[in-house]
Amino acid sequence: MLFSLNRRQFGVALMALAAVAVAGKSQAGTLDDVKKKGVVVIGIQGDNPPWGYVDSSGKQDGIDADMGRAFAEYLGVKAEFVPLAVANRIPALTTGRVDILFATMAMLPERAKAVQYSKPYVANEITLVAAQATPINSNADMSKFVIGVPRSSTQDTQVTNNAPAGTEIRRFDDDAATIQALISGQVQAVGANSFYPQRLNAAKPELGFEPKLHFMALYNGACTRLGDKEWNETANKFIDQIKSNGKLASFYAKWMKAPVPIFPETVPGVPFTVQ
């Protein structure tokens, strides 16, 4: 399966974001509120396949979308998705626009100060990706090129921390814009997640995009509001259930083309339960 957004798909994603921003009709609440309303409002990325994206028919898709629909089914309600840009994910949760995030939320200690993570449900790897002919063999080599990253993302953090002082880093609104910047030559390398090479090579296979530097392995979790024990416990029970009943394995086979990895029992600085 090739994961690339054409202009129509990207337009659909932008319209979805604009509609949400204007309407502002979804308000987060307690679990009882959600069950009474019959809808759980889920924050998700709108432009980052195979994690979360809007397909050509306007439907939310990807592993996070499948997770969100399964979570809604677990609660006995319908799923309402709010597509979010990278930088808007945490604010959407903390201000009550969404009830929960299934939004490619890598587990990082600084983020854990703002949101409550669940147990991990998916793994990811953060790398620097460039065309095969681009000579990047060490962190020092980054200073010779313009590097693109999605603003406020894990890629942004890792490139910023590893690049030599003076490296030109260009920050874009989301993954799709970052990928397009590399394809169009605005930048010569990008901070990437596991699926950037596949998307880039679908667009320009002759360039042979590949990981040049490996920064870190990450795990993603669902996010709820800090201190909300009921939401956190519910998210963890849901994740335990789909791990045990094979549903997570089916999502992994569909989207990641791989078996479910062994997840860590702990991540430093990131509690999985309300303390």
Side-chain angles (χ1 to χ4, degrees):
M1 183 182 298
L2 297 179
F3 297 100
S4 60
L5 290 179
N6 57 34
R7 290 182 180 179
R8 182 169 181 268
Q9 289 173 307
F10 188 61
V12 169
L14 289 178
M15 287 189 289
L17 284 167
V20 169
V22 172
K25 65 184 178 66
S26 298
Q27 294 296 322
T30 66
L31 273 169
D32 282 343
D33 291 337
V34 164
K35 291 177 180 178
K36 288 176 184 176
K37 186 172 60 173
V39 174
V40 59
V41 184
I42 299 168
I44 193 169
Q45 284 197 279
D47 66 344
N48 192 15
W51 310 99
Y53 67 102
V54 180
D55 69 14
S56 59
S57 67
K59 177 187 174 184
Q60 202 72 44
D61 216 348
I63 191 168
D64 282 341
D66 280 351
M67 288 289 295
R69 281 186 280 268
F71 182 66
E73 182 181 350
Y74 177 79
L75 296 181
V77 299
K78 294 180 180 179
E80 177 184 318
F81 290 108
V82 176
L84 299 168
V86 171
N88 295 335
R89 294 173 297 179
I90 289 176
L93 178 66
T94 58
T95 60
R97 284 180 60 203
V98 301
D99 295 307
I100 190 169
L101 294 175
F102 287 96
T104 327
M105 289 294 293
M107 292 179 159
L108 300 172
E110 58 268 30
R111 287 181 180 170
K113 297 174 183 177
V115 297
Q116 175 61 57
Y117 277 97
S118 69
K119 297 176 181 180
Y121 65 86
V122 71
N124 194 4
E125 185 176 11
I126 304 304
T127 64
L128 188 79
V129 167
Q132 190 174 43
T134 305
I136 300 177
N137 300 299
S138 68
N139 286 1
D141 291 334
M142 285 194 281
S143 65
K144 305 170 188 175
F145 303 96
V146 181
I147 312 296
V149 295
R151 184 180 292 107
S152 301
S153 65
T154 310
Q155 296 101 289
D156 188 347
T157 301
Q158 288 302 304
V159 168
T160 301
N161 290 347
N162 285 281
T167 300
E168 184 175 351
I169 302 172
R170 293 185 185 174
R171 293 173 173 85
F172 300 91
D173 286 340
D174 49 40
D175 294 278
T178 304
I179 287 171
Q180 186 57 42
L182 182 53
I183 292 170
S184 64
Q186 297 177 60
V187 300
Q188 287 79 55
V190 293
N193 66 38
S194 298
F195 288 91
Y196 270 45
Q198 187 174 357
R199 295 173 66 181
L200 286 160
N201 286 318
K204 280 200 170 182
E206 68 275 11
L207 295 182
F209 291 101
E210 63 184 11
K212 298 290 186 176
L213 303 173
H214 292 262
F215 295 132
M216 67 186 305
L218 289 173
Y219 299 93
N220 297 351
C223 291
T224 53
R225 282 173 288 281
L226 280 178
D228 197 323
K229 189 173 183 178
E230 186 179 32
W231 271 103
N232 171 245
E233 288 181 345
T234 301
N236 279 332
K237 288 176 182 176
F238 160 70
I239 290 169
D240 285 342
Q241 183 185 91
I242 64 170
K243 285 178 180 177
S244 63
N245 67 13
K247 188 167 284 188
L248 183 59
S250 70
F251 294 161
Y252 245 84
K254 176 181 177 182
W255 295 108
M256 306 303 184
K257 312 302 182 189
V260 178
I262 296 174
F263 295 109
E265 293 295 323
T266 60
V267 171
V270 183
F272 301 163
T273 59
V274 173
Q275 303 297 297

